[in-house]
Every structure is written in C-alpha cells, then in structure tokens.
Amino acid sequence: MATGPVENCGRETAVGYVQEEGNPTDVQQMYKVRRATVYRWLNLEDLRPTKVKTQKPKIDLAALQQDIGQDPGAQL
C-alpha cells in the first residue's frame, strides 16, 4: 500500500481498515509502523499531523561560550 511516509490520507485509510477489518497487525506491516502508532491513531480525534512550533535547545549556548572562554584549550 504505502511505501513512503504516511500522510494524513494514509492515517485515515489505516484507521478505516482497522475499524472495518479489526486487524492492527496488518496495518502495522502495510505501513511499516509500530503497533503503538496504529493504536495511537485509533485514539486520535483529529488525524492531521501536528507541527511542533518550538523546541528547547539541548545545550545552553551562553553557558557553553562561558566555558570555552574560561578554558579554550579544553577538549570534550
């Protein structure tokens, strides 16, 4: 069925298939997603993908610059 990333219509198709046929394992294999993903789709009210607006940086850049300024020859 789907060979690339699952789009909104793919989610709707997958959920419809499970609701009619009742077999999440088939959907898992067809869409190459984990079983947990199929069950998460089944519990969603809106199947549209959500866009992440902001992410916190993993490193505090100000603290990193301060550390580099104190000892520029240090290695990680």
Side-chain angles (χ1 to χ4, degrees):
M1 219 182 211
T3 57
V6 179
E7 300 292 333
N8 182 26
C9 61
R11 290 178 183 185
E12 291 173 354
T13 304
V15 168
Y17 181 84
V18 172
Q19 289 173 343
E20 290 176 14
E21 300 293 324
N23 196 345
T25 303
D26 290 343
V27 172
Q28 172 188 345
Q29 292 170 352
M30 286 188 291
Y31 286 84
K32 302 199 182 344
V33 294
R34 296 180 65 200
R35 183 184 298 248
T37 301
V38 176
Y39 284 110
R40 187 173 59 247
W41 289 347
L42 288 169
N43 291 326
L44 289 175
E45 291 180 19
D46 185 11
L47 292 173
R48 289 182 295 170
T50 56
K51 186 174 181 177
V52 176
K53 295 177 183 169
T54 59
Q55 288 184 330
K56 295 179 183 178
K58 293 182 179 182
I59 297 175
D60 182 6
L61 294 179
L64 178 62
Q65 288 177 346
Q66 184 180 5
D67 285 344
I68 291 172
Q70 289 175 357
D71 192 5
Q75 297 181 1
L76 294 176

